[in-house]
Amino acid sequence: MQRITILLCLLLSCNFVQASTGNLEDNIANAASWLILLVLPVAGIYLFWKVHIYPEKVAEKKNHPQLKAIKSMCLLSLVFGGLLWPVALIWANYDYETPNDPKKDTNLIEEELITTEN
């Protein structure tokens, strides 16, 4: 019975307890709430966008032959919530072998010369 009375007294006295009347804590809490509500969502959207155009930037840097397709896949990835982003990143990093590569042509000529000499 004594425990119940103490519990009821504590519950009834909760209305009289107040936080400190300092304005500094209120100002800090107010600024933090506005930061969380306004700045962080904008920063998150910007970061999401920058990550999703990264394959496009890689393809532009490598002068990829299918740059337009990679750009469209990046846009589709934004619409579908990032499901196509790994495919676009792999595609942008894929190196196609060009048939008229001058380095490979000189290697082939040297190999042919060696084989004909033997």
Side-chain angles (χ1 to χ4, degrees), residues 22-34:
N23 287 334
L24 180 64
E25 292 88 3
D26 291 338
N27 290 338
I28 292 172
N30 200 11
S33 65
W34 281 110

Side-chain angles (χ1 to χ4, degrees), residues 3-115:
R3 290 183 184 174
I4 294 174
T5 4
I6 293 174
L7 182 64
L8 285 174
C9 289
L10 286 175
L11 288 174
L12 291 174
S13 67
C14 287
N15 291 334
F16 301 113
V17 176
Q18 294 181 359
S20 66
T21 58
N23 287 334
L24 180 64
E25 292 88 3
D26 291 338
N27 290 338
I28 292 172
N30 200 11
S33 65
W34 281 110
L35 177 80
I36 290 169
L37 288 173
L38 297 178
V39 176
L40 289 181
V42 171
I45 290 169
Y46 177 75
L47 182 66
F48 184 78
W49 175 70
K50 289 302 265 184
V51 165
H52 274 77
I53 65 167
Y54 178 70
E56 177 183 335
K57 298 298 180 187
V58 169
E60 286 176 357
K61 184 179 176 184
K62 289 187 171 191
N63 199 14
H64 202 278
Q66 296 175 343
L67 176 63
K68 290 182 181 180
I70 293 171
K71 283 184 179 182
S72 61
M73 186 170 280
C74 288
L75 286 174
L76 284 172
S77 179
L78 284 171
V79 173
F80 290 115
L83 293 175
L84 299 173
W85 185 83
V87 176
L89 185 63
I90 292 169
W91 194 5
N93 283 313
Y94 185 76
D95 290 330
Y96 289 97
E97 293 182 10
T98 55
N100 295 331
D101 192 9
K103 292 179 184 175
K104 291 182 181 176
D105 288 342
T106 57
N107 290 339
L108 288 175
I109 293 171
E110 288 175 5
E111 287 176 8
E112 287 176 8
L113 286 174
I114 293 171
T115 55

Side-chain angles (χ1 to χ4, degrees), residues 87 117-118:
V87 176
E117 289 175 359
N118 293 333

